[in-house]
Amino acid sequence: MSGSRYPGSVDVAIVGSGPTASAYARILSEEAPGATIAMFEVGPTVSNPPGAHVKNIEDPERRTLAQRASEGPGAGAETVNSPGAVKSGQRRARPGTYLLQDGYSFPGEDGMPVAAMSSNVGGMAAHWTAACPRPGGNERIAFLPDLEQLLDDADRLLGVTSSAFDGAPFSDLVRERLAAAVDSGRAPAYRVQPMPLAVHRREDGRLAWSGSDVVMGDVTRENPLFQLFDESLVTKVLVEDGAAAGVEVRDRRNGTISRVAARYVVVGADALRTPQLLWASGIRPDALGRYLNDQAQVVFASRLRDVSAGGTHPAAAGALSEQAGVAWVPYTDEMPFHGQIMQLDASPVPLADDDPVVPGSIVGLGLFCAKDLQREDRVAFDDGARDSYGMPAMRIHYRLTERDHEVLDRAGREIVRLGKAVGEPLDERPFVLPPGSSLHYQGTTRMGRTDDGESVCSPDSQVWQVPGLFVAGNGVIPTATACNPTLTAVALAVRGARKIAADINSALLMSESDNRLSKQ
Ligand code: FAD
C-alpha cells in the first residue's frame, strides 16, 4: 500500500517487543546477519534506547509519563500505588500496566481479576522487578536436554547478575536470618541466596535495570536489516498453503492497514495476546489458550529487628534506596513456592502504605505458588465482541483447585514463619493477592514434546500446524512454575530463534550452491 512505513516483505516478522520477542531479534542478528527483520509493537516508544526500563529514567515526572504511556486503554486509571488500594482490595493495576476491562471472571469461578498487560516498546520488561531465578525440580521442562545452556544464554541476553546489591547494608543480615529458618536439609542450589537480577551497577554507581534494550543489545540496534515499528497493531498472521506467510498490520498513527510478507512469523505478544492473535488469524489448535496458569501470591511485611539506621548505601541517593537487596528462597517440589524477599520500596506492591517506611528497615516477603494445572483454565475469545484495540475480546475462565488452596495455606504459614525469622511482622496475617497479581501468566501457547492436542508448539516453539509460525513468551512454558518466568521464556525463545537462524542459513547455503552450479 502506498504511503505505508512498512516494508513489503521481510524474512522474519516479529510481533511484540518484550524480552522474548527481542531475544529473537538478538539471536537472529547474531546468527543470521543476512536476514531482514521487522518488529511490530502496538504501543509507543516510552524510553531511550527503545525498550529501556523506565526505572532508569531519573526524572520522576518523565518516569510517570512513560508508565502512563504504557497503560494502553487503562492510561490515567488509579494504580496500586494510589493510597489505600491494596489494603482495601480495590481492583487496580501496577504502574505501567492495565487491567482487562471485562471478561476477567465468571460466576462460580475465581477468575483473574487483576490480569494485566503493558502496551509499549519493551512490554512489561520496561516495568518489571527483573528477578531471574532458574527453575528447579518440577518447574523444569524435562524434555529439553539443553535447558541449562539455554538458561545461560538467557542470562547473557538479559544481563543477569547476582551482585547488583552487594554491599547493601542489610542484605547479608536478611539472608542469614532466612537461611537459618530454611536451609536445613536443602541441597546448595536450593538454599537461600541473592536473587539473580537483570540489573547491573553502572560505573557511576547507579543501578541499571535491564529491559528489552539490553536483550536486543547493540548487535540488533546496529543491524541495518532490523527495523522496529512502534504503534503498529498486528491484526492477523497470514497463512498461505498452510504455512506462515506474513502479517497484517494496522498503523495506529493513521489507521491504514498493510500486509507484510514474511517467511517466518514470531508472535511474542504476551501470554494473553499471543493466543488472541492466533485466534484472530483462524489458527485455533485445541490447546490454544488452555492450561492458563498464574502464580498465586501471598505477601507479608516485617520490620527488621536490631538494625541501626546509620548504614545508608552510597547509591541510596538515587531514585531507589537499596538497603536490603533482594533475597531468594528457591522453589522445591516439597515446598512448591518461590520466595522473593526485598526491600519494600523496591517492590511493585506497597504493603503497608499507612506505615512510615524507614528506608531499608521494612522488607516485603512474597511467596509465589505453583498452580495445579487444569485444561479448563483458559483464556477464550469472543468473536462477537471486541477489545479496545478491535481484537477478539478475552474471556478468562480460571479456578483454584483444592490443592491450590492447600498450597496457599501452607505458603501463608510459611511466610509468617519467614517474616518472624527476619524481624517483627507488621500484620498478624499474610495477604493473599487476587489471581492475576503475579503478572506471570503461562501455558496458553504451551510447548509439548509431541503434537498430542495438549500443546500448541514444538520444543522449538514452532506452532504444530503452521510451519514458519513461532510463539514466544511465558505462554510457551508448559510446566507450573512458581519462580519468575521471564528467564525461562527468554531461554525458550533462544532455542526457537536458533531454529529459524539455522533454517535461513541452510536455505542461503543451498541457494548459493544452486547459483554456483547454474554458472558452471
Ligand atoms: P511482554 O513483555 O508483555 O511484551 C509483549 C508485547 O507485545 C507488549 O509490548 C504488547 O504491547 C505487544 N503486543 C501485544 N499484542 C500485540 C499485537 N497484536 N501487535 C503488536 N504488538 C502487540 N517477570 C520476571 O520474570 N521477574 C520479575 O521480577 C518480574 N517482575 C515484574 C514486575 C512488574 C511490575 C511487571 C509489570 C512485570 C513483571 N514481570 C516479572 C513479568 C515480566 O515483565 C514478563 O514476564 C515479561 O515482560 C514477558 O515478556 P514477553 O516478551 O513475553 O511479553
Side-chain angles (χ1 to χ4, degrees):
M1 174 176 287
S2 71
S4 163
R5 60 184 164 125
Y6 310 122
S9 74
V10 288
D11 292 313
V12 188
I14 301 177
V15 186
S17 64
T20 62
S22 300
Y24 274 84
R26 166 78 170 265
I27 295 292
L28 287 165
S29 297
E30 285 178 344
E31 299 185 16
T36 48
I37 309 166
M39 175 179 269
F40 303 95
E41 165 55 54
V42 63
T45 302
V46 301
S47 51
N48 184 24
H53 202 302
V54 304
K55 275 190 203 170
N56 300 337
I57 303 174
E58 281 167 25
D59 174 34
E61 260 176 55
R62 283 187 46 233
R63 191 161 60 239
T64 303
L65 283 175
Q67 288 169 330
R68 286 316 208 187
S70 306
E71 293 167 5
E78 297 211 313
T79 69
V80 291
N81 285 7
S82 310
V86 170
K87 280 202 161 172
S88 60
Q90 290 179 27
R91 199 181 150 259
R92 290 189 186 165
R94 315 271 170 83
T97 72
Y98 64 96
L99 303 180
L100 279 182
Q101 282 156 342
D102 55 23
Y104 51 81
S105 68
F106 289 89
E109 301 177 0
D110 294 291
M112 224 182 246
V114 288
M117 292 159 280
S118 296
S119 288
N120 55 278
V121 172
M124 274 196 180
H127 312 284
W128 69 329
T129 311
C132 285
R134 290 197 176 204
N138 289 332
E139 292 182 307
R140 295 172 71 85
I141 303 160
F143 59 81
L144 288 185
D146 52 349
L147 184 62
E148 208 54 25
Q149 295 99 290
L150 294 169
L151 290 165
D152 288 344
D153 282 311
D155 273 347
R156 175 177 70 93
L157 266 54
L158 284 158
V160 176
T161 72
S162 291
S163 56
F165 287 96
D166 276 2
F170 304 145
S171 63
D172 288 348
L173 185 78
V174 170
R175 278 203 310 278
E176 277 162 24
R177 290 178 180 176
L178 288 169
V182 167
D183 279 357
S184 167
R186 286 188 175 217
Y190 293 92
R191 291 185 191 148
V192 174
Q193 51 198 285
M195 178 69 81
L197 292 165
V199 180
H200 68 274
R201 198 167 287 284
R202 299 188 323 200
E203 278 177 10
D204 64 5
R206 290 186 180 276
L207 291 173
W209 299 77
S210 299
S212 288
D213 61 326
V214 171
V215 177
M216 287 187 211
D218 288 341
V219 68
T220 308
R221 276 185 292 277
E222 289 166 8
N223 179 355
L225 302 182
F226 169 78
Q227 286 176 287
L228 163 63
F229 299 98
D230 65 1
E231 300 184 67
S232 300
L233 175 74
V234 174
T235 48
K236 219 177 262 177
V237 174
L238 305 173
V239 178
E240 279 169 22
D241 301 326
V247 292
E248 181 183 271
V249 196
R250 187 188 308 141
D251 187 340
R252 287 182 44 86
R253 294 182 187 168
N254 57 23
T256 55
I257 307 255
S258 304
R259 288 182 158 224
V260 178
R263 289 158 65 195
Y264 300 91
V265 175
V266 178
V267 185
D270 83 33
L272 300 174
R273 286 177 287 179
T274 294
Q276 179 187 51
L277 179 56
L278 266 58
W279 181 269
S281 313
I283 301 164
R284 301 177 177 186
D286 285 349
L288 189 72
R290 293 188 175 276
Y291 293 100
L292 170 65
N293 67 101
D294 164 57
Q295 301 163 347
Q297 204 180 343
V298 192
V299 292
F300 200 51
S302 262
R303 195 182 308 263
L304 292 179
R305 221 185 16 251
D306 310 326
V307 291
S308 69
T312 305
H313 191 273
L320 287 167
S321 53
E322 40 187 280
Q323 307 294 304
V326 184
W328 175 27
V329 180
Y331 161 100
T332 66
D333 290 338
E334 295 70 39
M335 301 287 272
F337 9 88
H338 151 86
Q340 189 168 312
I341 292 86
M342 58 208 269
Q343 186 179 323
L344 203 56
D345 53 1
S347 161
V349 189
L351 293 168
D353 46 13
D354 305 334
D355 279 304
V357 176
V358 179
S361 68
I362 295 182
V363 291
L365 299 96
L367 289 182
F368 296 85
C369 303
K371 175 88 175 73
D372 183 17
L373 295 185
Q374 305 184 97
R375 197 170 198 277
E376 286 311 301
D377 291 331
R378 66 196 186 279
V379 54
F381 302 97
D382 183 346
D383 283 321
R386 300 276 127 184
D387 70 10
S388 49
Y389 288 111
M391 300 294 281
M394 293 178 200
R395 303 288 178 242
I396 292 194
H397 295 277
Y398 197 70
R399 281 197 177 93
L400 297 181
T401 65
E402 261 179 47
R403 208 180 101 203
D404 287 326
H405 285 290
E406 275 166 31
V407 171
L408 259 171
D409 288 347
R410 280 179 66 197
R413 290 193 294 277
E414 180 67 2
I415 207 167
V416 171
R417 196 175 77 83
L418 299 181
K420 286 181 177 164
V422 294
E424 310 301 340
L426 295 186
D427 280 313
E428 275 176 32
R429 277 194 298 277
F431 187 67
V432 178
L433 296 181
S437 301
S438 75
L439 305 166
H440 301 160
Y441 320 125
Q442 304 170 105
T444 52
T445 52
R446 71 206 294 256
M447 175 182 280
R449 188 203 297 265
T450 56
D451 181 10
D452 59 1
E454 298 298 324
S455 61
V456 169
C457 67
S458 72
D460 286 324
S461 298
Q462 189 160 202
V463 173
W464 290 116
Q465 285 88 0
V466 188
L469 174 59
F470 289 69
V471 281
N474 300 330
V476 177
I477 299 172
T479 49
T481 72
C483 73
N484 321 63
T486 309
L487 181 83
T488 305
V490 168
L492 303 183
V494 168
R495 195 175 213 271
R498 289 215 168 110
K499 163 78 178 143
I500 298 177
D503 286 0
I504 288 177
N505 290 336
S506 69
L508 202 66
L509 275 177
M510 270 168 59
S511 83
E512 280 170 5
S513 97
D514 285 352
N515 281 345
R516 268 198 304 275
L517 284 175
S518 68
K519 281 181 192 155
Q520 279 169 4

